[in-house]
């Protein structure tokens, strides 16, 4: 975790469970119902890039977005902006 982070390491360690609990209820709903969760996951990715150095965290968020049908701005882990 990076110094000065707003979220503690326990948040990032439990991210998979958090994302699963957030995504599962809207998986079979229409696009409109999924939009708020997609927006949340996009914001969470920005926060993760700022506060967490884990490739796994970024991958969990990207996978959840794909499951919800979000194809916008999902980067690969090999892009230069990701610092591992």
């Amino acid at each position: 975790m990076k110094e000065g982070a707003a979220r503690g390491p326990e948040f990032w360690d439990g991210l998979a469970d958090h994302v699963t609990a957030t995504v599962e209820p809207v998986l079979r709903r229409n696009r409109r119902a999924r939009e708020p969760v997609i927006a949340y996951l996009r914001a969470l990715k920005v926060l993760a890039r700022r506060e967490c150095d884990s490739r796994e965290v970024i991958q969990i968020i990207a996978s959840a977005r794909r499951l919800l049908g979000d194809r916008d701005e999902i980067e690969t882990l090999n892009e230069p902006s990701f610092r591992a």
Side-chain angles (χ1 to χ4, degrees):
M1 186 173 84
K2 296 179 182 178
E3 191 173 323
R7 307 267 181 168
E10 60 281 343
F11 175 79
W12 300 113
D13 290 343
L15 185 80
D17 292 334
H18 171 72
V19 168
T20 298
T22 303
V23 169
E24 277 186 343
V26 298
L27 268 178
R28 291 186 173 83
R29 298 191 63 199
N30 65 32
R31 175 73 182 194
R32 187 173 177 189
R34 292 189 310 253
E35 281 299 326
V37 177
I38 291 170
Y40 170 72
L41 292 171
R42 288 176 181 172
L44 186 60
K45 183 205 70 161
V46 171
L47 184 66
R49 287 201 181 270
R50 205 172 46 231
E51 295 187 2
C52 180
D53 288 330
S54 171
R55 287 180 179 262
E56 182 180 3
V57 164
I58 301 300
Q59 184 59 47
I60 289 167
I61 296 167
S63 295
R65 289 175 58 191
R66 276 191 293 274
L67 279 172
L68 293 175
D70 183 16
R71 303 286 188 251
D72 294 342
E73 302 177 32
I74 296 178
E75 308 87 14
T76 65
L77 296 178
N78 295 325
E79 72 178 15
S81 66
F82 188 85
R83 294 171 293 157

